[in-house]
Amino acid sequence: MYLVTNAAKCTGCQICQTFCSLSHSQVIAPARARLLVLRGEGDEITQPLTCQQCQEAWCAEACPVDAVHRDPTTGALVVEEAACIGCGACERACPFGMVVVNKETKLAEKCDLCGGDPLCAKMCPTGAIAVINDSEEALTRSRQGVAELQASLPSLLAQITGETVEIAAGNRGRKKGVTALVGKIRDRQVARPLVTATAPAGQQAWGATPTLPGNKQASGVAVQDAGAPRGTSSAGNRLDPSSPYQGRPALPMPLTELPPGHLRILSSSVAPVYPCRYQGYAGRYLRVNLTTLEIKALPLEESLAENYLGGNGFGTKILWDEVPADVEPLSPENKLIISAGPLAGTLIPNGSRVEFIAKSPLTGIYGDANAGGFFGPELKFAGYDFIVLEGKASRPVFLMIQDDLVEIRDALLLWGMDTFAAEATIQKALGDDQIKVAGIGPAGENLVRFAAINVTSQRSAARAGLGAVMGSKNLKAVAVRGTKGVKVAKGQEFLEFARQTHLRLRNNEIFPAVSRFGTPGIAALMNLIGRFPTKNFQFGHFEHIDEIDAEALRDKFFVKNLACFNCPVACDKIYRVNEGQFAGTTVKSLEYETLNAFGAGVFNANLASIIKGNDLADRLGLDTVSAGRAVSFAMELYEKGLLTRAETDGLDLEWGNYETVLALLKKIAYRDGLGNLLAEGVRRAARAIGRGAEYYAMEVKGQELAAQDGRAQQSMGLAHATSNRGADHLKAFPTIDETGYPNEGRRRYGEAYLPEIVDPLSNKYKAFLVKDGEDYGAVIDSLGNCKSGGTFVMAELYWDDMAKALELASGMPVTAESLKRTGERIYNLQRAYNIRHGISRKDDTLPRRLLTEPSPSQRAKGHVVRLEVMLEEYYRLRQWDPATGIPTRAKLEELGLAFVADFLGQAR
Amino acid sequence: MGQIKVSIKYYNLLREAAGQAREEVTLTSPANLLDLLLHLEKQHGEGLGRWILNEGKEISPAVRIFLNGDTPGESQALQDGDEVALFMAISGGSAGVPLSTSY
Ligand code: SF4
């Protein structure tokens, strides 16, 4: 038997590694897997590396006690544990880094082909690892594999690590550094003693400001004057618009040129490990006070896990407890919670997510943002469930976590850098490309109210302006590296259940299309039903859709598929512009929302410019949705004569002018001129402009609308109106009625709700659909799973599945019913938090345009959002007072939230 | 009885399976949507057929059909000059595993 790999098919999802590590090492940790996934060149290289089961086996030859034998049935080279003395000779001998001596057990670990049924191949969703069963062919392929690796590995590794190695012919490849290099890569994934910081014992006072050297490269890096105090108001933070964003080096400067003192440790702490009754959880969290530089690691309270799950739920409870109504979102008293759920970092597809929660500077109420990628799992692997960041540093800093070692480091060097450069600098400076970073760009530094947090690798926690909260705390980034892994309560059962969930996703009838086209795949379809906002929601249909839809994207710009952690879908793709004005621009994860925000929303049919806008927004650290809506708002005011050229800094705000779109993105991030106004969000900007501009501000509760025209899908109208973080499709995320999915309606809710529940233009049962989605969504955002994976976009995994997953992972008793109550609890607590901030029924509304201007587009023609009828039903189902929209005491008590009713002064 | 011409626009997987974005087909009237899909299967073979029809040669629940910009009933008769858009659904679907939770 032989495992044949195909790099071209690999998406870098690490499913092979997570399943391997749980099955062999009883812990979910890619670091402990018996195969590697090589990654490099901006993720353009993702390549599985498996044991070749070499015919002339270096490992077996090297073993002094003959502990490595060939299994006669499978042909695998297997380590006999009883014989192994842990000397490491095999590890040193293997030219491909495929044998590792476990430092705890002192036993050599390597691939044993799972005794004849390799799990990696079974679970790989793309066929990048496949099994050759025929023993003759296996022999040939193994020989070929060894020869090919010997030939290709040196240059591949050189590409990934930047270090060159040679391989002399005939020396079997090991002496010339290949072993060392694979070992190095492996080290980066495998548990090892990490860079031990020369940390001062306690905290260190702020030292003298390190001065930047006068060389050209460095002067382009730090935009902000090193000594300039930063005010708390937006105006006080304005940077010189001519500041050299353009001139800044795209790559971080070489380490040797780092000015002394930069990235230095200001405070450090070694976190103790706490026992936790529940698995799946790391069992501890961090509380970091940026004012005092104090770092505390504390045990996770079990009741918090039982009642609020994790992620979003934890953040909600902490905000409720610790951030009262009089706290300004951009003040040091606001807190930012970064929280991964109990299923983040596990095998349940796809546990890639991390939540950021704080009071939102955009809406002034509960705010959260969520990102996939690899940060959430890494936080868990380092051994933390969440981090509470409070106070405000007196100078730019970043938080660096390496397993138990936690440091606050100087970030003056990083301040002013774009998000990608900051991430790369941290990785390079600390010599570990596996560090995952969540950081802000210039927009967050300049307190743009819709600044995003950019997360490795190029995913954005974009909504609600939480990047500005980081900026207000002088916190450039949080970087994390974890090698511990996640343990689950019932390993074998969990593995089997997870395997089934993966297979169900892969058998889902819409999986092929979702996987191939990602979220852009829905653009043409939504355009056809009149749901694709065009010209700031004047229309729901963009006549040039063919130029910007998923098909155009795939035809002209597609490079490769890319997955978030443990996701079989791989809806991310690398896209590159190869010619013309924007040639060379490369993005990952260009989403439906961005296609709309920088495309139809502003009447722009130039797809290359949309890709450029996406890249720019990610680098600057902007939410593409709010940024796009801010631009389309300004364009409509210009069209209506409410903004004149005198007020646009000379920019031509004609619809479709993509140069203007790109220019405005920069102006917003640097708060320059018209950009400074738009950086406040459309609600504040409209108020400042007056003259009836408010009618064109497409927002709810202060947050800009995403790309769902509720006139074409009534449930989305309601979802935007009720969402706890202001306008948003993702809280309720109704998908079964987008294009009418009766099977799903039937499967989830039963025949009784058909056909209306899946009819996008019907109002019937939509309150029910939205409430269910909000509660379920609160659970998904709390567990650490993805809504674009199998829970919403593919309506595959539902209450029962997630209850079972949590129970098997944590060991906590969970049922679908108890999970529903938890979802409702979290959602009601968020609502109550908003009630404390003056939110009531009057705020659960939509822009007047959607309520009064009939849609001119497609099937939605003649329809407005009939909000009131849905809202009535919604409050009734929620058991909220229909007059005020406040949760009733009876409901709150039922959910274990009596303390909320007391706080709100509700009579007993 | 007579001949009608219908123009087809393919999207996502179907565009790849049909190897083209648009085409015009001639059908013998009366013809409904199922007749059209069966015709397309015959013309393009299994590569397209496996997406748009299920095993019982009925319209697949995962295919989305728009007739002149609207969603037609399955038995709706096609007219000369009709425009049909064909997509694979890209949200809301499942593997059909029954769920035990119901409301
Ligand atoms: S696609 Fe995923 S599972 Fe398959 S080899 Fe690549 S990382 Fe492993």
Side-chain angles (χ1 to χ4, degrees):
Chain A
M1 178 174 284
Y2 175 71
L3 291 175
V4 54
T5 60
N6 182 344
K9 288 185 175 175
C10 177
T11 63
C13 66
Q14 298 185 314
I15 290 172
C16 48
Q17 292 187 305
T18 55
F19 275 85
C20 176
S21 64
L22 182 58
S23 107
H24 284 93
S25 304
Q26 291 75 51
V27 62
I28 303 163
R32 296 290 303 277
R34 286 145 194 232
L35 77 164
L36 281 175
V37 180
L38 302 174
R39 208 182 177 94
E41 299 277 292
D43 295 338
E44 290 192 29
I45 298 174
T46 47
Q47 174 166 339
L49 184 58
T50 52
C51 172
Q52 301 301 306
Q53 315 296 350
C54 315
Q55 299 315 301
E56 292 145 34
W58 285 275
C59 55
E61 275 174 28
C63 178
V65 293
D66 284 336
V68 185
H69 309 296
R70 194 172 298 279
D71 181 304
T73 5
T74 62
L77 291 158
V78 183
V79 179
E80 187 191 333
E81 290 191 359
C84 174
I85 55 170
C87 69
C90 52
E91 179 177 323
R92 287 187 296 277
C94 175
F96 310 128
M98 288 291 110
V99 194
V100 170
V101 175
N102 183 314
K103 297 193 175 63
E104 278 163 33
T105 61
K106 305 263 187 303
L107 292 173
E109 292 178 349
K110 72 170 293 299
C111 170
D112 59 1
L113 292 172
C114 296
D117 191 12
L119 201 49
C120 55
K122 210 148 67 178
M123 296 317 300
C124 174
T126 65
I129 306 177
V131 179
I132 305 285
N133 271 312
D134 179 84
S135 54
E136 276 306 306
E137 196 188 343
L139 277 181
T140 324
R141 295 294 275 260
S142 164
R143 287 214 171 82
Q144 279 170 2
V146 170
E148 275 165 24
L149 275 182
Q150 281 185 292
S152 66
L153 209 52
S155 61
L156 180 68
L157 295 177
Q159 235 175 316
I160 293 174
T161 62
E163 294 174 41
T164 42
V165 283
E166 284 171 30
I167 190 161
N171 80 343
R172 305 180 89 199
R174 51 198 155 142
K175 295 266 153 51
K176 292 283 177 182
V178 176
T179 315
L181 221 45
V182 180
K184 207 166 188 180
I185 289 175
R186 177 127 205 162
D187 269 358
R188 288 173 186 175
Q189 300 190 12
V190 173
R192 61 168 177 143
L194 283 155
V195 187
T196 23
T198 43
Q203 293 159 28
Q204 183 181 298
W206 295 95
T209 306
T211 46
L212 291 165
N215 70 44
K216 194 166 151 271
Q217 199 171 16
S219 65
V221 173
V223 172
Q224 191 150 16
D225 169 22
R230 305 181 69 244
T232 47
S233 74
S234 309
N237 264 293
R238 281 183 61 176
L239 283 171
D240 178 1
S242 63
S243 59
Y245 171 75
Q246 294 288 13
R248 187 161 310 125
L251 287 168
M253 69 177 70
L255 264 187
T256 45
E257 291 180 32
L258 270 187
H262 275 294
L263 306 185
R264 75 195 192 286
I265 299 155
L266 303 167
S267 159
S268 81
S269 168
V270 176
V273 177
Y274 299 101
C276 182
R277 188 161 146 214
Y278 300 124
Q279 303 298 314
Y281 293 92
R284 68 176 173 182
Y285 72 99
L286 284 173
R287 201 170 266 278
V288 178
N289 187 316
L290 296 164
T291 309
T292 62
L293 302 183
E294 195 181 359
I295 301 165
K296 272 192 272 184
L298 299 159
L300 173 69
E301 279 172 47
E302 283 159 12
S303 65
L304 191 66
E306 288 154 5
N307 290 305
Y308 299 96
L309 298 179
N312 181 288
F314 284 0
T316 300
K317 182 63 166 45
I318 293 164
L319 271 199
W320 174 272
D321 289 344
E322 302 182 19
V323 185
D326 60 358
V327 168
E328 285 295 320
L330 294 176
S331 71
E333 288 73 34
N334 195 6
K335 300 194 180 184
L336 176 69
I337 300 109
I338 305 180
S339 184
L343 297 182
T346 76
L347 314 180
I348 302 296
N350 64 10
S352 68
R353 292 267 160 179
V354 59
E355 276 273 320
F356 297 80
I357 305 101
K359 191 184 287 187
S360 161
L362 189 60
T363 61
I365 56 175
Y366 170 85
D368 69 29
N370 185 296
F374 295 85
F375 187 92
E378 198 76 19
L379 186 63
K380 293 283 293 292
F381 297 155
Y384 304 92
D385 292 306
F386 63 100
I387 308 170
V388 183
L389 292 146
E390 43 196 39
K392 177 186 180 178
S394 63
R395 307 199 58 78
V397 295
F398 76 103
L399 185 71
M400 181 70 231
I401 302 167
Q402 297 177 87
D403 288 337
D404 297 339
L405 180 64
V406 186
E407 301 159 339
I408 300 172
R409 284 179 175 242
D410 186 288
L412 195 63
L413 175 79
L414 308 174
W415 204 253
M417 275 189 194
D418 75 43
T419 55
F420 301 167
E423 174 180 319
T425 303
I426 291 171
Q427 290 169 339
K428 215 168 172 189
L430 298 179
D432 184 349
D433 58 5
Q434 295 290 314
I435 291 173
K436 312 297 190 290
V437 180
I440 56 169
E445 295 172 11
N446 296 325
L447 310 185
V448 172
R449 287 187 189 270
F450 45 86
I453 299 169
N454 196 285
V455 171
T456 306
S457 55
Q458 298 189 19
R459 309 280 315 182
S460 282
R463 303 240 68 193
L466 302 190
V469 174
M470 278 182 76
S472 74
K473 297 187 174 307
N474 270 333
L475 179 65
K476 178 70 178 179
V478 176
V480 59
R481 180 70 177 95
T483 61
K484 290 168 182 268
V486 177
K487 291 213 169 77
V488 290
K490 302 193 177 138
Q492 206 43 49
E493 273 175 81
F494 181 82
L495 188 137
E496 181 48 30
F497 180 69
R499 195 178 71 81
Q500 283 168 18
T501 59
H502 277 256
L503 295 182
R504 277 170 57 192
L505 251 60
R506 284 155 55 183
N507 288 331
N508 185 304
E509 62 196 9
I510 68 166
F511 178 91
V514 175
S515 177
R516 192 151 176 86
F517 295 92
T519 61
I522 203 162
L525 206 44
M526 292 302 101
N527 195 57
L528 208 59
I529 67 165
R531 207 202 71 171
F532 202 55
T534 302
K535 283 195 178 175
N536 201 35
F537 286 80
Q538 291 183 42
F539 308 92
H541 182 262
F542 183 45
E543 61 215 68
H544 305 294
I545 186 74
D546 287 354
E547 291 163 55
I548 67 162
D549 62 10
E551 289 78 2
L553 200 52
R554 190 151 185 115
D555 286 351
K556 296 193 196 116
F557 305 103
F558 176 80
V559 178
K560 89 184 275 275
N561 291 317
L562 213 53
C564 292
F565 175 82
N566 209 59
C567 177
V569 183
C571 73
D572 270 1
K573 279 109 206 23
I574 298 181
Y575 297 107
R576 179 173 305 116
V577 184
N578 288 314
E579 53 188 26
Q581 186 183 356
F582 305 110
T585 308
T586 305
V587 295
K588 299 179 206 169
S589 77
L590 173 61
E591 306 290 355
Y592 165 83
E593 287 295 336
T594 308
L595 277 180
N596 183 272
F598 296 162
V602 294
F603 212 72
N604 172 24
N606 182 316
L607 188 46
S609 76
I610 298 173
I611 295 175
K612 179 70 189 174
N614 191 120
D615 178 58
L616 202 51
D618 282 354
R619 287 177 186 275
L620 295 167
L622 285 167
D623 171 16
T624 58
V625 175
S626 285
R629 295 291 175 252
V631 176
S632 61
F633 162 75
M635 285 182 161
E636 185 162 13
L637 294 187
Y638 191 72
E639 176 192 68
K640 301 288 190 298
L642 297 174
L643 264 188
T644 63
R645 193 121 183 188
E647 297 162 293
T648 66
D649 312 325
L651 287 176
D652 169 19
L653 259 61
E654 277 300 322
W655 290 114
N657 187 335
Y658 55 81
E659 299 287 3
T660 294
V661 176
L662 300 177
L664 270 177
L665 292 179
K666 287 185 209 163
K667 280 166 142 322
I668 288 170
Y670 290 101
R671 285 189 165 272
D672 169 37
L674 178 61
N676 189 36
L677 185 64
L678 297 177
E680 291 292 294
V682 297
R683 175 180 278 198
R684 285 180 177 82
R687 282 186 190 151
I689 294 166
R691 302 170 243 174
E694 278 161 335
Y695 184 81
Y696 305 103
M698 305 306 290
E699 51 86 12
V700 178
K701 301 185 178 84
Q703 174 153 273
E704 290 73 15
L705 259 68
Q708 297 76 25
D709 187 330
R711 294 173 295 189
Q713 187 188 354
Q714 297 284 318
S715 61
M716 277 294 189
L718 179 62
H720 273 275
T722 58
S723 154
N724 279 332
R725 64 171 178 183
D728 179 30
H729 60 302
L730 286 171
K731 287 280 166 262
F733 208 0
T735 58
I736 62 167
D737 57 334
E738 269 179 346
T739 56
Y741 226 115
N743 294 9
E744 266 329 290
R746 192 173 293 119
R747 202 175 72 107
R748 283 197 166 184
Y749 307 113
E751 199 67 42
Y753 293 89
L754 293 172
E756 292 90 346
I757 201 163
V758 297
D759 176 354
L761 291 170
S762 166
N763 298 100
K764 206 169 172 188
Y765 304 131
K766 295 308 160 59
F768 167 77
L769 184 64
V770 164
K771 175 189 177 292
D772 179 56
E774 287 171 344
D775 293 345
Y776 186 49
V779 163
I780 298 305
D781 287 343
S782 299
L783 292 175
N785 291 86
C786 177
K787 291 175 181 158
S788 286
T791 55
F792 281 83
V793 167
M794 282 184 281
E796 186 64 53
L797 306 175
Y798 203 36
W799 290 109
D800 266 3
D801 303 305
M802 300 319 281
K804 185 157 185 192
L806 179 59
E807 184 168 82
L808 294 175
S810 66
M812 195 189 282
V814 194
T815 63
E817 286 310 314
S818 74
L819 204 55
K820 277 181 206 169
R821 219 165 31 250
T822 307
E824 227 186 323
R825 180 180 308 122
I826 295 167
Y827 206 80
N828 273 267
L829 189 58
Q830 285 166 6
R831 175 69 174 189
Y833 188 71
N834 287 347
I835 301 287
R836 278 169 74 180
H837 290 75
I839 293 293
S840 69
R841 174 168 181 154
K842 69 178 186 325
D843 303 289
D844 296 339
T845 188
L846 290 169
R848 254 191 306 145
R849 167 169 277 165
L850 301 186
L851 298 173
T852 59
E853 261 183 50
S855 166
S857 302
Q858 306 293 102
R859 270 196 313 173
K861 198 171 191 155
H863 289 269
V864 293
V865 181
R866 294 171 293 276
L867 184 61
E868 284 307 309
V869 42
M870 294 187 288
L871 261 185
E872 283 300 326
E873 194 189 347
Y874 176 83
Y875 293 132
R876 190 173 54 72
L877 291 171
R878 281 240 170 260
Q879 289 172 259
W880 293 354
D881 180 337
T884 60
I886 297 176
T888 58
R889 174 174 278 277
K891 181 81 249 177
L892 293 170
E893 286 187 350
E894 178 199 319
L895 297 172
L897 296 174
F899 63 93
V900 172
D902 294 344
F903 184 93
L904 297 176
Q906 291 179 344
R908 277 175 198 276
Chain B
M1 288 288 271
Q3 302 281 302
I4 55 167
K5 278 201 163 109
V6 177
S7 71
I8 317 285
K9 198 163 174 198
Y10 295 104
Y11 289 89
N12 60 42
L13 295 173
L14 303 182
R15 180 173 300 184
E16 294 176 0
Q20 56 195 353
R22 295 164 188 276
E23 69 176 316
E24 202 163 82
V25 296
T26 306
L27 299 169
T28 307
S29 131
N32 60 24
L33 287 173
L34 180 60
D35 298 326
L36 170 67
L37 298 196
L38 288 167
H39 176 90
L40 294 176
E41 187 200 29
K42 209 177 276 168
Q43 194 166 319
H44 294 280
E46 178 57 9
L48 182 67
R50 72 191 172 109
W51 297 117
I52 57 180
L53 298 166
N54 67 14
E55 280 161 16
K57 297 289 175 209
E58 295 158 328
I59 299 178
S60 158
V63 73
R64 290 290 167 275
I65 307 172
F66 289 81
L67 178 59
N68 305 320
D70 211 338
T71 40
E74 284 199 12
S75 54
Q76 188 163 333
L78 294 166
Q79 310 288 332
D80 192 46
D82 275 349
E83 289 181 11
V84 176
L86 291 176
F87 295 81
M88 289 309 290
I90 203 155
S91 67
S94 78
V97 176
L99 295 166
S100 58
T101 311
S102 60
Y103 281 76

